[in-house]
Amino acid sequence: MADSGVKKETVPTGESMPLFYARPEALNPTRHGSLGLAARSDFSFAGSAHAIPVVASEMPAAMRSYPIVFIGAGKAPVIITGVRQDENLFVDADGKWNAPHYIPAYVRRYPFILAEDPTSAGRLTLCVDRASERVVDQIVAPFRDDKVLPFFSGNEPTEATKQALAFCNQFQIDFRATREMVDKIDTHGLFSPRQSKVTLEGGEVLNLTDFQVIDEAAFNTLSDEAFLDLRKSGALGLLYCHLASTNSWTSLVHQASVRKAERAKSA
């Protein structure tokens, strides 16, 4: 598969894999000519993700359902989708994402990803996670009642593959822009470590730790010069979406209560 020409985001090389990915392979017609993507909506792969990467362009939609915080040394923005380790409160037992909540681009991109081409440093190529249950053989698929979108027609990528490449390219661009915004915010010293105490229905109290937020007091006392610098960088939208998303902790608690009720009903 031809490379995208877009510089890198995160690449599945070495022992460390990006969230969700286990066995990504560069798409090519020789190796993957008989394979395709099962055309069904199944988000089971995200069922144990309690935090999922998010980019700035989707934060206006994401902030309505999820708190947005920053994690790790790089202060990567993520949405919080669960109050317990390895539990996504927005994916049900059938692999459906609970409506009307926003489905992040990182999730919708899977099982595709752009990865660095080992034959051309700094270039990226479209890969697919062969461990995904949606990547199926076109010969076997009909027996599973799966409609399959082939990856290739002969040696040429199909429209489905072209669309996947376009989506991954745009995600890559948005990821890079978000990274630059976060770096700019960090230069102004606006990040602050934080813990959150969540009280669930029934009185259970959970402590969420190891994340950072924007120090609103520090933000409000920025100099005019620093504020203008943030505005010119495009980072203000990210800042405001993050601050507004603090209201979505109540949405998370509600979702935890819904999940608890569902379990009690099925017990």
Side-chain angles (χ1 to χ4, degrees), residues 4-216:
S4 69
V6 181
K7 297 301 180 182
K8 60 185 176 182
E9 164 216 352
T10 54
V11 295
T13 57
E15 296 181 359
S16 179
M17 288 286 179
L19 178 67
F20 304 146
Y21 297 86
R23 195 155 51 96
E25 297 177 355
L27 272 177
N28 69 73
T30 300
R31 192 173 187 180
H32 307 109
S34 67
L35 302 181
L37 189 70
R40 51 183 162 85
S41 179
D42 185 355
F43 299 105
S44 298
F45 64 89
S48 61
H50 61 280
I52 297 173
V54 66
V55 293
S57 61
E58 59 183 337
M59 287 184 185
M63 71 180 188
R64 299 186 180 98
S65 294
Y66 319 100
I68 300 170
V69 301
F70 304 86
I71 62 172
K75 301 176 179 64
V78 298
I79 56 171
I80 301 298
T81 54
V83 294
R84 292 184 176 85
Q85 193 82 8
D86 300 328
E87 180 183 47
N88 186 340
L89 294 168
F90 297 86
V91 177
D92 66 20
D94 296 322
K96 292 185 174 60
W97 201 281
N98 292 341
H101 300 289
Y102 176 77
I103 304 173
Y106 190 96
V107 171
R108 287 180 281 122
R109 179 184 65 167
Y110 186 80
F112 299 100
I113 190 172
L114 291 179
E116 190 169 319
D117 185 345
T119 65
S120 180
R123 305 290 290 185
L124 299 177
T125 189
L126 183 65
C127 297
V128 68
D129 189 2
R130 285 296 306 275
S132 170
E133 293 184 356
R134 289 186 62 200
V135 177
V136 296
D137 192 300
Q138 297 178 66
I139 298 174
V140 176
F143 297 98
R144 299 169 48 181
D145 296 322
D146 275 332
K147 178 183 177 181
V148 178
L149 303 174
F151 293 142
F152 294 95
S153 176
N155 289 323
E156 296 299 316
T158 61
E159 187 60 31
T161 299
K162 292 176 183 177
Q163 289 177 6
L165 178 59
F167 190 94
C168 289
N169 271 336
Q170 187 58 53
F171 185 88
Q172 191 79 14
I173 293 168
D174 292 343
F175 176 90
R176 182 174 55 188
T178 302
R179 180 71 263 157
E180 292 173 354
M181 293 176 197
V182 169
D183 289 344
K184 176 63 70 174
I185 293 168
D186 200 18
T187 62
H188 291 288
L190 294 181
F191 287 107
S192 175
R194 190 63 53 87
Q195 296 184 3
S196 184
K197 184 177 291 186
V198 176
T199 303
L200 303 181
E201 188 176 302
E204 182 183 2
V205 178
L206 299 174
N207 291 306
L208 305 181
T209 61
D210 299 328
F211 63 90
Q212 297 192 55
V213 299
I214 300 299
D215 186 330
E216 190 169 2

